[in-house]
Amino acid sequence: MSPAASARWCPTPEQLMILEEMYRTGVRTPSASQIQQITAHLSLYGKIEGKNVFYWFQNHKARDRQKLRRKLTKQLQQQQQQQQQQQQLFQQHLSPGCSFCPIYLDHHQCPASASAFRQLSCYNLPPSPPLASLSYPPQGGNIGGAESRSTMEYNSWRREIIGNDHQKADMEKSVMKMYSGGWMMVVDVDSSDRCPARPLQTLQLFPTTSTNLREDRENATVQPV
Amino acid sequence: MSPAASARWCPTPEQLMILEEMYRTGVRTPSASQIQQITAHLSLYGKIEGKNVFYWFQNHKARDRQKLRRKLTKQLQQQQQQQQQQQQLFQQHLSPGCSFCPIYLDHHQCPASASAFRQLSCYNLPPSPPLASLSYPPQGGNIGGAESRSTMEYNSWRREIIGNDHQKADMEKSVMKMYSGGWMMVVDVDSSDRCPARPLQTLQLFPTTSTNLREDRENATVQPV
DNA sequence: GCAAATTAATGATTTATTCAAG
DNA sequence: CTTGAATAAATCATTAATTTGC
């Protein structure tokens, strides 16, 4: 136990603070080169590897979504209860007619819209270098221009790290070249990250749908009809 | 479209045959070094990268499971229908008393048990070289012996490729050393791969459980009570 | 106070689901 | 429709908080 230090990475407070700050600023799925840069920077504050950064963002994003889902679910259940109570009142005391009354929940709070690209230039650096050239697809190729898909913005960790065995050397070099630019990165805030929850939910008096995730199933209270 | 060849890997018939043969022989989640070897071998028959091999096994395994699930689900539904019919008969014509009658489905066909380690020595090679030394945790360390978990058998693709930036060079070397042994590999057939489906299912007259997978949900027929 | 015992967080992996090329 | 590629969800496993009995 005492040798081999620790089996898993244990972020230092500084590292954590920086990661959280980046997350707060919009970083969600950093590309391989971004991860490299982040890792390099964070290693000033303690032992860290690229995969730690990769996993951190993955987990943090997922658990953020989860938290929001939880909140929404709770809200939803409350409203359902309210509705049911209301309905009971209706049926007991008032005239029938409206036994179905959908309610729309709010699009949960989305951070005030951010433009697709935002610059994170923390830690006193030259203000605004040209950004376009830093956008990451580092592999030359693709003259055909026909590849400007959103896939391009996907997490390319695997694509660059796992991939292209025969180009590994070149890739390493291109990543290194990009290092020289210093600490700065292009952040892609895409909509699915800003608004993790289902966009719109219809509430019905008798719940017939759910998100059907494990959590929902477990929290599911049997509704006696 | 015509330049840059093809965006995605297109396996040649030979490559496919070999991959399928390996799968048939029990390979499911090859380690990074196994992937390296496989890739090297398959590249004799056409362009291929490590990630292609990685993804191929992942997808093939997943879709195998999916196929089996589909089959099971169908079977299950049939049996449920039968049961329901039987029950109706019961309630209509016979004495009450047994309104709950579990039935156990067969553990679906498991390939006759294979020992934990099996050797795949295709393509005319020296018969049985020492295997133990090839078992993959290539990184020395762990003298403490206190780590003989099943984690050790996990897919180490990421651990080795993604991980340990500072050891990358050493790792490459160790992989290369292993190459020299020729075409042979250690295959770990673990139980979860041999028996992908839920081990045992209890059938009840009124279905209250399911595997709760997307597929089940979609196929779910509303059971009027 | 203070360890053993529980529980909550969270790092690391695997599995399911989705996207999209051909 | 099949299947390679990629992401998201679920799960496992270990570490940190927290509680509990002394």
Side-chain angles (χ1 to χ4, degrees):
Chain A
M1 284 295 168
S2 43
S6 177
R8 71 185 212 183
W9 168 61
C10 187
T12 71
E14 292 95 345
Q15 289 176 334
L16 210 56
M17 256 182 27
I18 296 176
L19 285 170
E20 273 164 354
E21 171 63 16
M22 299 182 71
Y23 188 88
R24 222 184 46 71
T25 323
V27 186
R28 290 293 180 278
T29 312
S31 71
S33 24
Q34 289 171 343
I35 288 180
Q36 297 281 18
Q37 295 181 52
I38 297 168
T39 305
H41 185 66
L42 291 188
S43 62
L44 296 177
Y45 302 97
K47 195 175 180 182
I48 190 173
E49 303 173 36
K51 70 172 184 179
N52 304 130
V53 176
F54 171 75
Y55 285 136
W56 190 90
F57 278 100
Q58 195 154 287
N59 279 321
H60 207 71
K61 186 168 60 169
R63 280 161 184 154
D64 224 31
R65 269 194 298 254
Q66 178 177 276
K67 224 181 298 177
L68 282 166
R69 257 198 316 256
R70 242 192 272 263
K71 214 194 294 186
L72 257 192
T73 303
K74 217 165 92 184
Q75 228 173 321
L76 215 147
Q77 281 182 347
Q78 282 183 350
Q79 300 225 11
Q80 280 182 347
Q81 281 185 357
Q82 281 187 349
Q83 287 242 308
Q84 231 160 356
Q85 288 176 355
Q86 279 192 2
Q87 203 211 4
Q88 282 178 1
L89 285 181
F90 266 26
Q91 308 240 330
Q92 279 180 306
H93 303 294
L94 297 175
S95 68
C98 177
S99 63
F100 175 85
C101 176
I103 282 188
Y104 294 96
L105 291 181
D106 250 350
H107 222 182
H108 85 98
Q109 80 285 13
C110 282
S113 80
S115 67
F117 291 95
R118 210 190 284 181
Q119 185 188 354
L120 179 66
S121 65
C122 0
Y123 319 120
N124 50 17
L125 269 172
S128 303
L131 282 179
S133 63
L134 267 176
S135 179
Y136 76 78
Q139 326 217 33
N142 279 325
I143 306 101
E147 181 167 16
S148 56
R149 279 324 190 86
S150 67
T151 4
M152 298 285 283
E153 298 151 24
Y154 282 173
N155 163 19
S156 64
W157 171 253
R158 288 178 194 153
R159 197 182 315 152
E160 294 189 29
I161 294 295
I162 288 183
N164 289 5
D165 292 338
H166 62 292
Q167 297 186 356
K168 206 173 272 177
D170 292 335
M171 228 166 49
E172 294 285 332
K173 255 183 289 177
S174 75
V175 167
M176 278 312 177
K177 257 186 251 156
M178 294 179 62
Y179 273 0
S180 63
W183 180 249
M184 184 222 30
M185 73 183 55
V186 177
V187 174
D188 177 17
V189 183
D190 86 345
S191 62
S192 69
D193 282 329
R194 285 209 309 279
C195 311
R198 303 288 186 278
L200 210 49
Q201 300 263 5
T202 301
L203 242 185
Q204 299 189 343
L205 287 178
F206 296 105
T208 55
T209 61
S210 84
T211 45
N212 256 321
L213 295 173
R214 159 63 58 103
E215 199 165 328
D216 295 325
R217 283 174 241 143
E218 283 172 348
N219 290 1
T221 57
V222 180
Q223 299 275 3
V225 179
Chain B
M1 284 290 169
S2 42
S6 175
R8 71 186 213 181
W9 168 60
C10 187
T12 71
E14 291 95 345
Q15 290 176 333
L16 209 56
M17 256 181 28
I18 296 177
L19 285 170
E20 272 165 355
E21 171 63 17
M22 299 182 71
Y23 189 88
R24 223 183 45 71
T25 323
V27 186
R28 290 293 180 278
T29 312
S31 71
S33 24
Q34 289 172 343
I35 288 180
Q36 297 280 19
Q37 297 181 51
I38 297 169
T39 305
H41 185 65
L42 290 188
S43 62
L44 296 177
Y45 302 98
K47 196 175 180 182
I48 190 174
E49 303 172 37
K51 71 172 184 180
N52 305 130
V53 176
F54 172 75
Y55 283 133
W56 190 90
F57 278 101
Q58 196 154 290
N59 279 320
H60 207 71
K61 185 168 61 167
R63 280 158 186 158
D64 224 31
R65 270 195 297 255
Q66 179 178 277
K67 224 181 296 175
L68 282 166
R69 257 200 316 260
R70 244 192 269 263
K71 213 193 294 182
L72 257 192
T73 303
K74 218 165 90 184
Q75 227 173 320
L76 216 146
Q77 281 183 345
Q78 282 182 353
Q79 300 223 12
Q80 280 183 346
Q81 281 186 357
Q82 281 186 349
Q83 288 240 308
Q84 233 160 356
Q85 288 176 356
Q86 279 191 2
Q87 203 209 7
Q88 282 180 0
L89 286 181
F90 266 25
Q91 308 239 331
Q92 278 181 306
H93 304 293
L94 296 176
S95 68
C98 178
S99 65
F100 175 83
C101 177
I103 280 189
Y104 294 96
L105 290 182
D106 251 350
H107 222 182
H108 86 100
Q109 80 286 12
C110 285
S113 80
S115 67
F117 290 92
R118 212 190 282 181
Q119 186 190 354
L120 180 64
S121 66
C122 0
Y123 319 119
N124 51 15
L125 268 173
S128 304
L131 282 180
S133 63
L134 269 175
S135 178
Y136 77 79
Q139 326 216 34
N142 279 325
I143 305 101
E147 180 168 15
S148 54
R149 282 319 193 85
S150 66
T151 5
M152 299 284 282
E153 299 152 22
Y154 283 173
N155 164 20
S156 64
W157 169 252
R158 289 177 192 156
R159 197 181 316 153
E160 293 188 29
I161 293 294
I162 289 183
N164 289 6
D165 292 338
H166 60 291
Q167 298 186 357
K168 208 174 272 178
D170 292 334
M171 228 166 50
E172 294 286 332
K173 256 184 289 177
S174 76
V175 167
M176 277 314 177
K177 259 186 249 156
M178 293 178 61
Y179 274 0
S180 63
W183 179 248
M184 183 220 33
M185 75 183 54
V186 178
V187 174
D188 178 17
V189 184
D190 84 345
S191 61
S192 69
D193 283 329
R194 285 210 309 279
C195 311
R198 303 288 186 277
L200 210 50
Q201 300 261 6
T202 302
L203 242 184
Q204 301 187 343
L205 287 178
F206 297 105
T208 55
T209 62
S210 83
T211 45
N212 256 322
L213 297 173
R214 161 63 59 102
E215 199 165 326
D216 295 326
R217 283 176 241 144
E218 283 173 347
N219 291 359
T221 55
V222 181
Q223 299 276 2
V225 179

